[in-house]
Amino acid sequence: MRTIKGPGIFLAQFAGDAAPFNSLGGIAAWAADLGFKGVQIPSWDARLFNLRLAAESRDYAQEVTGTLAAHGLAVTELSTHLQGQLVAVHPAYDAQFDGFADPSVRGDPAARQAWAVEQMRLAARASANLGLTGHATFSGALAWPYIYPWPQRPSGLVEEAFAELARRWRPILDAFDDAGVDVCFELHPGEDLHDGATFERFLEAVGQHRRANILFDPSHFVLQQLDYLAFIDIYHERIRAFHVKDAEFRPNGRSGVYGGYQGWIDRPGRFRSLGDGQVDFKAVFSKMAAYDYPNWAVLEWECALKHPEDGAREGARFIQDHIIRVTDRAFDDFADAGSDTALNRRLLGL
């Protein structure tokens, strides 16, 4: 068994225009000072990273890893959450998601989708150049407006949505396969892949593609009241990335899972800084260790109450304290009496 790597930190929520958050070297020094050992890089943020250059230039990729190594850090994964979202967008969300795309393709859904696919292909090559084995992203969504079965969904609607999603993602998965990198879909509200059942639909539609895998984030399952520990039992073979994010769900007489269109502070289900929510991380890390999860534990900080820099500082220590250094021997080896076939047969009365 292997010990989980970490702590890592997803930089998307921390990158900004002020130092030290406006350059890779600056934010790396900040993260290292907090005790992080790895960073998950948002590939769309030009202040930190040039995706095309990383895909086309091994020298640039080495420059990135060298910048991080100077601070004792490694790249955990690249992220294309924004670009992955644009692989499949229902027209109801065109205006809201248009800002995720390059300005040259905004207002043109077909051009935007083609740009997103190209971005994913670049991410596959960039990940390979960086020596990575996993990649974090979203699936996008065509069926999400119909998640609640009212009005009644026409027969075959969901099946066609997932067939189209698979047609769009299959060439991308093949590109990642060529690069030797797993695509780890964060199962997230707003995506067609948002729980185990939808992941299974997709997996079937892409022919059980070996690169179609999961970024496990228990916070999203708390908010939809899904058993996140049982999820690990069922899908551990496909879990190849891990966001350590906390959440709480406190329903009341006015609002529940749907949230009543309320803001994050007032919603019954809301994300919290690590240790402030309800996720049983001792059990989560125990299961991940037992199933020999080999990759990084990465803080994704989201909280409507706590300052992000406090969340990051506390989060580094929280993850470090929860990582289990797996044992290389049984705890009762001191009492091993040895064994052979003859002894075993005698013990069985044979």
Side-chain angles (χ1 to χ4, degrees), residues 292-330:
D292 198 22
Y293 170 74
N295 298 324
W296 288 85
V298 176
L299 168 69
E300 183 184 21
W301 176 88
E302 291 181 352
C303 184
L305 298 175
K306 185 169 286 183
H307 193 282
E309 292 181 40
D310 293 339
R313 185 185 66 255
E314 295 170 4
R317 173 52 58 188
F318 185 94
I319 294 173
Q320 186 63 61
D321 288 347
H322 279 77
I323 289 175
I324 297 170
R325 183 161 71 107
V326 296
T327 182
D328 58 359
R329 58 187 181 274

Side-chain angles (χ1 to χ4, degrees), residues 54-55 58 61 65 78 121-135 175-181:
R58 291 183 182 273
T65 57
L78 297 180
R121 291 180 178 275
L122 291 173
R125 290 157 50 197
S127 294
N129 284 343
L130 289 164
L132 305 176
T133 59
H135 181 77
F176 274 87
D177 196 25
D178 291 341
V181 179

Side-chain angles (χ1 to χ4, degrees), residues 52-62 129:
R52 182 174 296 278
L53 197 55
E56 296 175 350
S57 170
R58 291 183 182 273
D59 288 342
Y60 174 73
Q62 291 176 356
N129 284 343

Side-chain angles (χ1 to χ4, degrees), residues 1-238:
M1 298 198 322
R2 291 158 288 186
T3 297
I4 294 173
K5 293 182 281 190
I9 183 171
F10 186 24
L11 298 178
Q13 286 85 1
F14 299 94
D17 293 329
F21 306 107
N22 59 352
S23 70
L24 185 62
I27 204 168
W30 168 80
D33 285 345
L34 295 179
F36 289 102
K37 299 177 182 177
V39 294
Q40 188 177 88
I41 299 177
S43 66
W44 62 87
D45 197 319
R47 294 167 297 194
L48 307 181
F49 188 73
N50 187 317
L51 178 60
R52 182 174 296 278
L53 197 55
E56 296 175 350
S57 170
R58 291 183 182 273
D59 288 342
Y60 174 73
Q62 291 176 356
E63 179 184 329
V64 169
T65 57
T67 296
L68 296 176
H71 299 283
L73 297 171
V75 184
T76 66
E77 300 91 8
L78 297 180
S79 157
T80 54
H81 283 80
L82 302 193
Q83 301 99 311
Q85 182 77 63
L86 300 182
V87 170
V89 177
H90 188 280
Y93 294 97
D94 267 340
Q96 289 168 279
F97 285 141
D98 221 27
F100 289 4
D102 187 81
S104 65
V105 298
R106 292 175 188 170
D108 185 338
R112 183 184 64 205
Q113 199 264 339
W115 174 84
V117 171
E118 181 194 23
Q119 288 279 296
M120 297 305 304
R121 291 180 178 275
L122 291 173
R125 290 157 50 197
S127 294
N129 284 343
L130 289 164
L132 305 176
T133 59
H135 181 77
T137 196
F138 281 153
S139 68
L142 300 172
W144 181 258
Y146 310 105
I147 187 169
Y148 195 80
W150 179 260
Q152 190 179 79
R153 291 188 291 254
S155 177
L157 176 69
V158 173
E159 289 76 9
E160 182 56 34
F162 275 83
E164 177 62 26
L165 194 68
R167 282 191 287 270
R168 297 185 186 193
W169 274 101
R170 184 62 189 255
I172 299 171
L173 292 170
D174 288 343
F176 274 87
D177 196 25
D178 291 341
V181 179
D182 292 319
V183 178
C184 304
F185 293 103
E186 182 172 355
L187 307 185
H188 188 284
E191 312 302 318
D192 278 344
L193 275 60
H194 54 265
D195 60 11
T198 52
F199 178 74
E200 288 177 19
R201 279 185 182 270
F202 179 75
L203 200 57
E204 181 178 359
V206 296
Q208 307 295 315
H209 201 293
R210 67 175 181 168
R211 297 301 178 183
N213 290 290
I214 294 169
L215 186 163
F216 175 71
D217 182 336
S219 69
H220 301 304
F221 298 154
V222 170
L223 269 54
Q224 61 178 296
Q225 293 295 280
L226 185 154
D227 187 334
Y228 53 85
L229 297 177
F231 183 95
I232 299 173
D233 291 332
I234 298 168
Y235 300 107
H236 58 90
E237 292 181 353
R238 291 276 180 172

